[in-house]
Amino acid sequence: MPNLNGSTPEERQTKSVNGKSCEVKEGRESEDDQSYTRFSEEEITDALLVSQTSPGILSGSNAEILSCLLTHPDPKLQETVLNGINRCSTFTRNQNLFREHGCLSRLSNLLYQQKMSRSANPKLVTSVANAITNLSSNEENHKKLEDCVSTLVDLTLEDETGESVCLSSLKALTNLSITSQHHGHYTRVVQRLYDLVDTGAASIKLQAAKVLVNLSCNPELVPHMLAAKAPVCLIELLKQGTEEELMLRWTTLLANILTKAKEQKLTSASLPADDKHQVQRQCTQLCMVLVQDNSNPKFIC
């Protein structure tokens, strides 16, 4: 069992002076949150055990302890806690308990701290993103997870982001885009999503396409999607031999955009100004007329 009492204030101060701690955005909880210290080792051990072996009987006290442990300085303990949260979050009752005991804001803070850290732990970031994905399937949780959307977008935009972190971030962004509530944060990632459809691994191509499908259901996002540079593989994705799931998402995306563009009577003048993409816009609009399917589904990863 790791040291459950964490580092001393002096140790944390030293870490900050040495530049090893991460920035904390204004309005975010400090990484010095030690709320876990009010629980005994026996209570903590019990919460960890229940989360790993009997997630269906998680209590409110267990959920509170797990949520508080997300601020513990030991990354191995954090990973164990996140594993337990991911196991438990498949139950709607537990999703509500985690929300009620501050888990959502702590997950968002941890994700941000890892993104800002000079020594970010990809495994930890992936686990946090997976927890956000699971918890965001709850309608009330979905409403309260806006803080993490910008961080997930940042991770997706960074070229140095590894495949596992990118994929887990895209899964979370998929669930967080099933309604238009957070879509304002997505405009700056549209081009990156198209690029991932072009160059990403198969799983990332598909997940990027799922996010794009959800965004294409929002009339306010369609001009941004038309203004971005079309994927080089746009026509290839419509040809026989394309993986079936990817083709389904891609044709649905094009159908949604075409429908919304017709409804809004969009022209080039309606799109966000960016002359260097004019040729690509025309190519995108030309290719869209090939699509006949006007279905409008949304996808959850």
Side-chain angles (χ1 to χ4, degrees):
M1 174 69 67
N3 175 15
L4 299 178
N5 292 323
S7 56
T8 66
E10 291 77 19
E11 287 172 333
R12 286 192 301 277
Q13 183 178 8
T14 300
K15 290 178 183 177
S16 178
V17 170
N18 290 338
K20 295 181 181 178
S21 65
C22 35
E23 295 179 31
V24 178
K25 272 188 178 178
E26 184 178 353
R28 290 182 181 266
E29 294 177 5
S30 166
E31 66 174 357
D32 287 346
D33 176 5
Q34 297 183 62
S35 53
Y36 55 84
T37 59
R38 69 178 187 269
F39 303 107
S40 68
E41 288 199 21
E42 183 179 354
E43 289 174 315
I44 291 174
T45 300
D46 179 64
L48 291 172
L49 184 63
V50 169
S51 70
Q52 296 291 332
T53 61
S54 306
I57 62 170
L58 191 80
S59 68
S61 176
N62 295 151
E64 182 181 14
I65 291 169
L66 292 173
S67 298
C68 291
L69 285 173
L70 289 172
T71 65
H72 197 283
D74 186 335
K76 290 185 178 180
L77 178 58
Q78 286 179 321
E79 287 180 22
T80 300
V81 171
L82 286 164
N83 181 269
I85 290 174
N86 279 318
R87 286 174 178 270
C88 295
S89 59
T90 57
F91 297 85
T92 301
R93 174 179 169 276
N94 293 344
Q95 294 171 351
N96 294 330
L97 286 175
F98 283 128
R99 180 184 68 251
E100 292 162 4
H101 290 287
C103 184
L104 305 184
S105 61
R106 289 188 174 101
L107 284 171
S108 181
N109 293 337
L110 181 56
L111 185 71
Y112 178 76
Q113 291 164 7
Q114 283 293 308
K115 183 185 79 71
M116 298 301 297
S117 174
R118 297 177 182 178
S119 56
N121 181 339
K123 186 177 179 181
L124 191 62
V125 175
T126 297
S127 295
V128 175
N130 288 340
I132 291 170
T133 299
N134 292 340
L135 291 168
S136 64
S137 62
N138 179 295
E139 184 177 354
E140 288 303 311
N141 290 351
H142 186 280
K143 296 175 183 178
K144 296 179 180 296
L145 282 166
E146 182 172 6
D147 279 353
C148 69
V149 177
S150 290
T151 306
L152 290 165
V153 167
D154 288 340
L155 289 169
T156 304
L157 287 170
E158 292 175 1
D159 291 333
E160 58 270 25
T161 295
E163 187 173 316
S164 64
V165 172
C166 183
L167 182 59
S168 61
S169 298
L170 288 171
K171 287 181 177 180
L173 287 172
T174 301
N175 279 9
L176 290 165
S177 63
I178 62 171
T179 72
S180 61
Q181 183 176 2
H182 308 314
H183 280 187
H185 298 284
Y186 284 76
T187 55
R188 61 193 179 96
V189 80
V190 169
Q191 184 61 65
R192 176 62 170 170
L193 294 171
Y194 281 152
D195 293 342
L196 290 174
V197 170
D198 255 338
T199 63
S203 58
I204 288 179
K205 285 177 184 282
L206 179 60
Q207 205 63 51
K210 288 183 180 182
V211 180
L212 287 165
V213 167
N214 286 349
L215 299 182
S216 71
C217 297
N218 184 350
E220 295 182 7
L221 266 291
V222 168
H224 294 277
M225 301 180 80
L226 287 169
K229 180 180 178 180
V232 174
C233 65
L234 191 152
I235 297 296
E236 293 300 317
L237 292 175
L238 300 173
K239 293 182 178 180
Q240 186 174 5
T242 298
E243 198 271 325
E244 185 175 350
E245 274 197 273
L246 181 58
M247 181 183 286
L248 171 63
R249 270 68 179 192
W250 194 245
T251 54
T252 301
L253 166 69
L254 295 178
N256 288 349
I257 294 177
L258 177 59
T259 300
K260 298 295 187 295
K262 285 184 176 180
E263 290 173 352
Q264 298 179 79
K265 298 180 180 179
L266 294 179
T267 65
S268 295
S270 310
L271 308 183
D274 189 351
D275 291 339
K276 70 179 181 179
H277 286 160
Q278 186 63 39
V279 174
Q280 286 85 0
R281 290 177 191 165
Q282 294 172 351
C283 177
T284 303
Q285 291 170 317
L286 175 63
C287 292
M288 282 195 303
V289 301
L290 301 174
V291 182
Q292 300 300 320
D293 179 9
N294 287 322
S295 59
N296 193 27
K298 295 180 181 179
F299 295 95
I300 297 180
C301 66

